[in-house]
Amino acid sequence: MMDAENVRLGEICTIQYGFAFNSKKFTEDDSKIPLIRIRDVKRGFSNTYYDGPFSSEYLVHKGDLLVGMDGEFNIARWKSQDALLNQRVCKIVANSNVDEEYLRFYLKRALKDIENKTSFVTVKHLSAKKLSNLVIKLPKKNIQISISKQLSFLESLIHNFNEENVLFDELVKARFVEMFGDPLINEKGWKIRKLKNISNKIGSGATPKGGKEVYIHNGISLIRSMNVYNNRFEYKELAHITDEQAKKLSNVKVEKNDILLNITGASVARCYIVPIDILPARVNQHVCIIRCKEIIHPIFLHGVITNKEYQNHLLKLAGTGATREAINKQQIESLDVIFPPIELQNQFADFVKEVDKSRLEVQKSLKKTQELFDSLMQKYFG
């Protein structure tokens, strides 16, 4: 990397840590002030509100840099209106000799490196001391700005390609609602089935003993919550385990057309159908397999679960008063699912397959741009 001095993050920034607000004052009343929790950092908005006293030092404004300190360590700009900084989230304000965008990109990589090296039992924690003492390579400000402009341009392209994919997703969602209506209200009067009665399997896995240290470069895929997003699969962080480790997880062997549902943490409720190209595979304890019986099409069930209203329902089930969200097996098994005729489900699935063909070219362009972005991140911050 270019000439740069090593400085601690706490020396070049003001770090404001969050506060443990009283969970009894949490509310769904959106006339109150939003409360930023771990899951909200990356997505940039909150569905949790606070109806109680607070100090102005914990206020966050649109555009502020935030760091999530549990689970997946990440940094992002707050996208929404003024909100409150809850515990395990912190705000970073850079000094005048630091380009804040450069710092954002630097920390984007540094926090991921820390996360990868952090051991955990159920969830990873980033300490305030480790964050403050994080060493940053800081070149002159004009060089910082040059680097951040390059990365911001590519990030913008990636965002635009992702937005095109979102439009494809919206097209599919609109078609779902047109055909089946709201899956919670069920205004079309479809039959209702419990998820356990239309599934052959519902279950999550485990992390092999030794965690990340025992992962291998090639082997059986181990799907984690960071891989599963609504309507897409993230390959970048896909882990692999040995055949021997996989045998110990034989009860959570992933099969073609299995639906993957995140059941803990900030990514709770995210859902996708397993891609064929990562099989054979297993899942860890944060991901649940849902295997459909022949009476229901997995693409249709995926449409139900990723429906906006249904997602909100799952987030409510996961809990709003705890610091860590989770959906248990019994709750999943008890979910009500609309059950239209299989012919209609198949029609919807055929429509989705045609849309997927159209999005393929966009995904190819996205992949190339992402690879260039990653190579520059490695060049400047590796």
Side-chain angles (χ1 to χ4, degrees), residues 233-247:
F233 188 88
E234 178 56 63
Y235 289 82
K236 187 177 178 182
E237 299 291 337
L238 184 61
H240 296 88
I241 56 177
T242 65
D243 289 342
E244 183 179 352
Q245 291 168 324
K247 285 179 182 178

Side-chain angles (χ1 to χ4, degrees), residues 205-298:
T207 296
K209 188 175 181 180
K212 190 162 295 187
E213 289 72 21
V214 301
Y215 295 160
I216 59 178
H217 184 66
N218 290 305
I220 307 298
S221 300
L222 180 67
I223 302 168
R224 299 174 290 169
S225 59
M226 64 187 68
N227 302 122
V228 181
Y229 286 77
N230 284 340
N231 307 302
R232 73 178 175 90
F233 188 88
E234 178 56 63
Y235 289 82
K236 187 177 178 182
E237 299 291 337
L238 184 61
H240 296 88
I241 56 177
T242 65
D243 289 342
E244 183 179 352
Q245 291 168 324
K247 285 179 182 178
K248 295 177 182 179
L249 293 172
S250 60
N251 62 320
V252 286
K253 180 181 179 181
V254 184
E255 298 181 1
K256 179 182 177 182
N257 292 324
D258 279 355
I259 294 173
L260 307 173
L261 176 68
N262 287 353
I263 55 175
T264 65
S267 66
V268 70
R270 293 197 317 224
C271 176
Y272 194 58
I273 297 174
V274 64
I276 296 176
D277 60 354
I278 68 161
L279 299 178
R282 306 290 188 269
V283 296
N284 76 356
Q285 70 271 29
H286 305 299
V287 182
C288 179
I289 296 171
I290 301 173
R291 186 169 301 148
C292 297
K293 291 182 177 179
E294 291 184 358
I295 56 175
I296 189 164
H297 201 294

Side-chain angles (χ1 to χ4, degrees), residues 173 176-177 180-188 190-193 300-311 313 335-340:
K173 290 176 183 178
F176 179 92
V177 173
F180 308 113
D182 185 320
L184 287 180
I185 297 175
N186 190 21
E187 69 271 25
K188 291 183 181 274
W190 306 115
K191 292 180 181 178
I192 299 292
R193 294 283 189 273
F300 166 75
L301 182 56
H302 173 263
V304 172
I305 295 174
T306 56
N307 173 270
K308 181 180 178 180
E309 301 306 322
Y310 212 87
Q311 283 281 294
H313 174 62
L335 288 171
D336 287 329
V337 178
I338 57 172
F339 192 69

